[in-house]
Amino acid sequence: MTTPGPHRPPPAPDSGPPARVRVTAPRTSARPSSGTFPVTREVAEHSAVGEVFVGSLIRSQLRLALVVAGGFLIILIGIPVLLGLFPSIREVTVLTVPVPWLLLGLGVYPLSIACAALYVRSASRNEKRFQDLIDEG
């Protein structure tokens, strides 16, 4: 039988599960302080530099919203224009359903979902880049 170490109590016979032991170590993954003025502090204090960073995020989000909304409207307006330019499409049916109804009913909703997914993904990417910029500084 071995003797227990100085920091470990001897095991108790049939006392249930073993006691939990907390293992700690000094924090080694922390970045060293460089003495610079961090970007997060710039943003929090609403300084000129912070306003530039936040302004660039707002501009990129606005630009993205306008591009996605513009593309959506062009395609959405394109369906009636297509039907107006080619009146023969109005008489075509698929399984007794007119093609214009299919275009409007089955074409618009997937288009809306695709535009929304594109916007959310791109907006998240913009915010991630902004967060990386702040974490970097």
Side-chain angles (χ1 to χ4, degrees):
M1 181 172 228
T2 61
T3 59
H7 299 290
R8 186 185 308 172
D14 275 343
S15 65
R20 291 187 171 193
V21 177
R22 179 182 227 174
V23 178
T24 60
R27 188 172 170 193
T28 58
S29 63
R31 287 187 284 183
S33 176
S34 61
T36 61
F37 206 67
V39 177
T40 54
R41 191 167 165 191
E42 293 276 357
V43 172
E45 291 182 356
H46 302 289
S47 67
V49 174
E51 287 180 16
V52 168
F53 284 129
V54 172
S56 72
L57 174 66
I58 291 171
R59 279 191 306 277
S60 66
Q61 296 290 55
L62 177 63
R63 187 178 325 113
L64 173 66
L66 292 175
V67 166
V68 171
F72 178 72
L73 287 176
I74 287 173
I75 294 173
L76 193 62
I77 292 171
I79 293 172
V81 169
L82 175 74
L83 295 173
L85 291 176
F86 301 104
S88 61
I89 295 176
R90 290 184 222 160
E91 285 82 30
V92 178
T93 60
V94 175
L95 299 173
T96 69
V97 178
V99 169
W101 285 45
L102 288 174
L103 283 174
L104 292 173
L106 298 177
V108 173
Y109 293 111
L111 174 67
S112 301
I113 292 169
C115 286
L118 172 71
Y119 177 78
V120 168
R121 192 182 84 198
S122 299
S124 296
R125 188 181 325 127
N126 284 345
E127 290 171 3
K128 171 108 174 71
R129 286 180 185 157
F130 179 73
Q131 189 64 43
D132 290 343
L133 179 68
I134 286 191
D135 289 344
E136 190 177 282

